[in-house]
């Protein structure tokens, strides 16, 4: 009997939620759904590896993936003990001010023991650990090598009732009934097309493209490597310096080294030029660190990095029993590391919406779609503003222009960043905002606002700019 037929029988009794896509957004949604539905199925086009291995559907996993502190906290609530598991697997702890050296626009940020640490690991390990945790839920089943190819609605065409699936033999199409369908199929989601096929409008999109490219290579961390930092980030410096880099320490004493270029200054995809690009950065530290390090991988390239928001929240009509989340709704320029954390926030929002929904009318999903998409859109506003306003520092960026409020925030943010170079308390707030622990309004706390105003009214001889960019500052 095929796995699909078996599943159809298993879900015949009780409520059923079906998730399309088993990457981070789909997995986190599934974690929420097991608490609300009798049965949960996650369908995934790829074969799912038994170990942390790369797969076709998530090519981004070959690149540096930073799970921001907010995302880490949410994942730990969903999967208690996950951080300890990652630690056991060798993922190092990174204190975001002491261990992670950050060369920003105005110079190096200060290095001190902040109260913000994260667990640094590869995206492959994280996804695998989360998936493994989910296999412990008896009401959840994965259907790997199964592709969703469309939706079916009820007779009134107002409610999704099943998903059309293709697995194994490509000529074989099947259906799996579901009370709730979650589209978490990523940037290339077919949901807009499926909606049109059903006679529904498809969502409008906002796209902001800074033409950013990534090239990543994995290295063995040199045994004799001498530095008092564990990870390092070099940001771009508008208007001219379009090149950035990250050295990210992960389990197995490895470094994931991502070189990036904005405004079509794409980093090379071949091995020899990779080092030359690293040498051209505004600090030699990345080049010095990797030039003699042992590479463990080829150079992986990625260029599909535009910010893209599908506005499901604005649709006048959408069938009931359907929600979209993760990159399928909003994918960000990855440089700011917001995707997985936003997916986690989306999953928490789904939890809240389902609790509210079932509290007022048990088992009734009417209204969930609209409520969820609106609440999700609210969550997306801040990361979207943060990512796109940074992108619009570059004249080469194309797409919907930021409003005057966003531009004002950008200018104010510049002043906060300058202040943060010289004040540890401001840098602490700065990283808390970047890690989505605090909202950007934290920059308007009286103690910061007063100093920003002072800095604007009476500019210092810009101390920060005098800090040499060549060397990482010492840890204080
Ligand atoms: C280069 C790069 C670097 C990034 N760096 C970071 C970072 O540092 N920090 C961070 O938080 N985020 C980062 N992100 C973003 C992050 O990868 C995503 O936001 C996150 O994985 C959530 O994506 P998702 O689950 O919505 O979609 P995806 O990860 O794209 O997954 C979609 C899944 O759906 C499956 N699928 C697709 N269509 C179907 C179908 N029809 N039927 C069945 N299955 C289907 C795919 O195989 C895949 O498994 C980065 C992204 C890129 C591109």
């Amino acid at each position: 009997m095929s796995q699909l037929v078996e599943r159809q029988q298993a879900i015949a009794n009780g409520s059923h939620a079906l998730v399309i896509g088993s990457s981070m957004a789909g997995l986190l949604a599934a974690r929420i759904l097991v608490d609300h539905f009798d049965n949960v199925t996650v369908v995934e086009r790829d074969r799912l590896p038994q170990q942390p291995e790369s797969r076709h559907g998530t090519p981004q996993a070959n690149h540096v993936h930073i799970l921001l502190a907010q995302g880490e906290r949410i994942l730990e609530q969903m999967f208690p003990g996950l951080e300890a598991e990652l630690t056991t697997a060798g993922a190092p702890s990174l204190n975001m001010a002491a261990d992670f050296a950050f060369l920003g626009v105005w110079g190096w940020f200060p290095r001190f023991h902040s109260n913000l640490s994260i667990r640094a690991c590869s995206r492959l390990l994280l996804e695998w650990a989360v998936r493994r945790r989910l296999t412990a839920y008896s009401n959840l089943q994965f259907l790997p090598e199964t592709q969703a190819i469309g939706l079916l609605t009820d007779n009134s065409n107002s409610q999704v009732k099943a998903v059309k699936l293709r697995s194994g033999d490509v000529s074989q199409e099947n259906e799996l009934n579901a009370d709730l369908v979650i589209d978490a199929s990523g940037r290339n989601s077919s949901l807009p097309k499926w909606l049109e096929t059903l006679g529904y409008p498809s969502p409008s999109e906002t796209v902001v493209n800074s033409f950013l490219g990534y090239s990543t290579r994995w290295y063995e961390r040199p045994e004799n490597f001498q530095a008092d930092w564990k990870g390092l980030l070099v940001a771009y410096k508008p208007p001219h310096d379009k090149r950035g880099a990250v050295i990210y320490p992960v389990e197995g004493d490895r470094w994931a080294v991502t070189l990036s270029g904005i405004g079509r200054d794409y980093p090379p995809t071949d091995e020899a030029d990779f080092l030359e690009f690293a040498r051209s950065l505004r600090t030699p530290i990345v080049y010095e660190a990797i030039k003699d390090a042992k590479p463990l991988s080829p150079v992986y390239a990625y260029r599909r990095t535009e910010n893209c928001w599908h506005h499901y929240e604005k649709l006048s009509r959408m069938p009931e029993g359907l929600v979209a989340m993760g990159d399928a709704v909003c994918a960000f320029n990855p440089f700011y590391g917001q995707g997985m954390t936003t997916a986690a926030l989306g999953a928490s929002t789904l939890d809240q919406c389902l609790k509210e929904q079932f509290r007022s009318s048990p088992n009734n999903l009417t209204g969930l779609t609209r409520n969820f998409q609106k609440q999700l859109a609210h969550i997306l506003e801040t990361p979207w503003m943060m990512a796109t306003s940074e992108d619009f520092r570059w004249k080469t960026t194309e797409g919907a222009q930021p409003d005057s409020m966003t531009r004002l925030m950008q200018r104010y943010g510049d002043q906060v960043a300058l202040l943060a170079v010289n004040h540890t308390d401001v840098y602490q707030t700065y990283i808390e905002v970047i890690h989505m622990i605090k909202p950007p309004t934290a920059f308007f706390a009286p103690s910061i606002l007063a100093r920003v105003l002072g800095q604007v009214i009476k500019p210092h001889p810009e101390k920060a700019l005098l800090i040499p960019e060549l060397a990482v500052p010492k840890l204080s």
Side-chain angles (χ1 to χ4, degrees):
M1 196 171 12
S2 81
Q3 58 174 3
L4 261 175
V5 176
E6 258 179 57
R7 192 63 187 148
Q8 191 67 267
Q9 287 174 359
I11 60 155
N13 297 315
S15 56
H16 179 222
L18 185 149
V19 181
I20 303 171
S22 80
S23 175
M24 289 311 288
L27 295 174
L28 300 181
R31 169 62 194 88
I32 297 304
L33 296 168
V34 291
D35 290 343
H36 295 280
F37 288 81
D38 297 317
N39 302 290
V40 177
T41 307
V42 181
V43 298
E44 168 56 50
R45 207 166 43 182
D46 284 352
R47 188 184 64 81
L48 291 172
Q50 298 300 310
Q51 299 297 326
E53 282 166 16
S54 59
R55 58 188 179 83
H56 184 74
T58 50
Q60 75 269 35
N62 290 323
H63 300 269
V64 166
H65 260 70
I66 301 181
L67 179 63
L68 302 179
Q70 178 64 275
E72 193 175 290
R73 288 179 190 183
I74 298 174
L75 261 67
E76 186 63 24
Q77 280 163 13
M78 289 181 175
F79 304 99
L82 180 68
E83 201 207 325
E85 252 180 65
L86 299 175
T87 309
T88 307
S93 165
L94 271 192
N95 184 287
M96 290 317 293
D99 300 327
F100 199 61
F102 184 174
L103 178 57
V105 170
W106 302 107
W108 291 99
F109 286 108
R111 296 186 54 228
F112 60 98
H113 288 280
S114 70
N115 62 11
L116 202 78
S117 292
I118 60 166
R119 197 49 63 183
C121 70
S122 68
R123 159 66 197 248
L124 295 178
L125 175 65
L126 183 66
E127 186 182 307
W128 173 79
V130 166
R131 193 168 66 240
R132 205 169 63 116
R133 281 299 196 89
L134 282 171
T135 56
Y137 288 88
S138 59
N139 62 339
L140 181 145
Q141 191 179 330
F142 287 94
L143 293 183
E145 297 179 274
T146 304
Q147 184 183 0
I149 52 171
L151 300 173
L152 293 169
T153 47
D154 63 358
N155 289 340
S156 62
N157 193 25
S158 60
Q159 164 103 31
V160 168
K161 65 165 195 182
V163 178
K164 286 199 263 181
L165 300 171
R166 185 182 286 149
S167 58
D169 179 357
V170 286
S171 62
Q172 271 265 294
E173 287 183 16
N174 286 287
E175 295 164 16
L176 197 55
N177 292 340
D179 302 297
L180 178 64
V181 174
I182 311 283
D183 177 33
S185 61
R187 241 180 216 278
N188 299 319
S189 161
S190 299
L191 185 56
K193 264 193 282 158
W194 296 345
L195 286 173
E196 278 179 10
T197 308
L198 291 169
Y200 280 86
S202 61
S204 57
E205 331 176 325
T206 308
V207 178
V208 173
N209 195 348
S210 60
F211 301 96
L212 169 77
Y214 266 29
S215 286
T216 299
R217 198 167 196 199
W218 295 67
Y219 289 88
E220 197 173 281
R221 183 181 175 281
E223 243 175 62
N224 56 356
F225 183 71
Q226 299 281 339
D228 68 350
W229 51 266
K230 295 185 195 167
L232 187 136
L233 170 64
V234 181
Y236 325 110
K237 185 173 175 176
H240 302 299
D241 204 326
K242 298 176 171 180
R243 298 182 170 191
V246 189
I247 298 181
Y248 198 57
V250 297
E251 72 281 0
D253 282 326
R254 292 173 300 158
W255 282 339
V257 179
T258 291
L259 303 180
S260 56
I262 203 161
R264 294 193 176 88
D265 185 9
Y266 297 121
T269 52
D270 66 283
E271 295 168 6
D273 294 345
F274 188 84
L275 274 182
E276 281 314 305
F277 191 95
R279 203 210 283 264
S280 72
L281 293 166
R282 64 188 157 115
T283 170
I285 292 166
V286 176
Y287 173 75
E288 291 297 331
I290 63 173
K291 71 178 191 321
D292 299 319
K294 182 179 166 196
L296 299 172
S297 77
V299 176
Y300 300 106
Y302 203 101
R303 295 191 177 174
R304 182 87 199 283
T305 58
E306 71 276 14
N307 302 279
C308 181
W309 187 345
H310 290 94
H311 294 286
Y312 287 100
E313 79 283 4
K314 291 188 182 162
L315 281 179
S316 55
R317 289 188 313 128
M318 213 174 144
E320 298 289 352
L322 171 69
V323 303
M325 55 197 294
D327 285 14
V329 176
C330 189
F332 301 99
N333 169 343
F335 195 76
Y336 313 103
Q338 299 168 314
M340 297 190 294
T341 296
T342 309
L345 288 165
S348 300
T349 304
L350 180 66
D351 192 30
Q352 287 307 320
C353 289
L354 283 167
K355 280 179 181 151
E356 279 166 32
Q357 185 81 24
F358 289 153
R359 200 177 303 126
S360 55
S361 47
N363 299 329
N364 182 355
L365 288 166
T366 308
L368 176 80
T369 301
R370 178 173 284 269
N371 186 25
F372 173 75
Q373 299 303 156
K374 288 219 178 292
Q375 296 212 30
L376 179 66
H378 188 58
I379 302 259
L380 295 172
E381 279 165 13
T382 300
W384 177 265
M385 191 263 286
M386 284 165 72
T388 57
S389 65
E390 284 301 317
D391 285 349
F392 273 113
R393 293 175 187 282
W394 300 94
K395 287 208 173 83
T396 40
T397 294
E398 291 177 3
Q401 292 292 318
D403 55 20
S404 49
M405 189 59 196
T406 307
R407 287 206 186 277
L408 198 68
M409 276 299 289
Q410 191 186 59
R411 283 210 286 278
Y412 185 80
D414 283 347
Q415 291 299 323
V416 175
L418 174 57
L419 207 57
V421 168
N422 295 308
H423 296 87
T424 53
D425 64 316
V426 181
Y427 186 50
Q428 174 71 42
T429 305
Y430 190 76
I431 51 181
E432 284 168 338
V433 171
I434 289 179
H435 279 259
M436 296 167 86
I437 296 288
K438 287 187 175 164
T441 48
F443 289 156
F444 294 93
S447 66
I448 297 181
L449 181 64
R451 279 178 283 173
V452 165
L453 291 177
Q455 187 174 258
V456 172
I457 293 165
K458 197 173 168 214
H460 255 265
E462 285 176 353
K463 230 191 333 171
L465 299 179
L466 302 175
I467 295 175
E469 294 188 338
L470 299 182
V472 177
K474 287 273 164 270
L475 181 61
S476 63

